[in-house]
Amino acid sequence: MRHRGDDCDKAVHALYNYLDGEMGLRQKRHLMGHLRRCRGCSDAADFERTLLSRIRQACPQEPPPELVERLRRLLQQAGDE
Ligand SMILES: [Zn+2]
């Protein structure tokens, strides 16, 4: 059975902001706390981090926003299964 609460949805959104570097310190602490408690989100975080670092290696400038957006959507679909 899937266990995914509001807290997880918030964490995932926060994670995106975090990876974009658009997160305040307080929000970041909250996210890190959730990642420590929640296996599902912490796996998602690892996956996203790996993904983004690959993108950045491939595009040393800025990764195209459309690409990042598309990958996120794929990721969300995968998470909904
Ligand atoms: Zn979670």
Side-chain angles (χ1 to χ4, degrees):
M1 202 194 281
R2 269 170 53 81
H3 178 82
R4 187 184 166 108
D6 277 357
D7 224 32
C8 290
D9 285 340
K10 269 183 221 148
V12 169
H13 282 289
L15 178 64
Y16 291 155
N17 290 337
Y18 170 62
L19 293 167
D20 284 342
E22 291 168 6
M23 184 185 270
L25 193 62
R26 240 184 57 150
Q27 207 185 356
K28 192 165 155 181
R29 287 221 185 97
H30 185 81
L31 173 65
M32 291 310 166
H34 182 82
L35 292 184
R36 262 195 295 273
R37 290 193 312 274
C38 182
R39 183 64 206 277
C41 286
S42 111
D43 284 351
D46 284 347
F47 183 80
E48 279 260 336
R49 225 176 263 139
T50 311
L51 194 69
L52 272 193
S53 74
R54 295 244 171 90
I55 294 173
R56 290 204 172 116
Q57 275 167 14
C59 321
Q61 307 295 320
E62 278 290 293
E66 313 88 52
L67 175 64
V68 177
E69 198 50 48
R70 200 181 303 168
L71 287 169
R72 278 178 186 172
R73 229 167 286 148
L74 276 173
L75 205 70
Q76 278 171 341
Q77 281 166 9
D80 284 342
E81 295 211 20

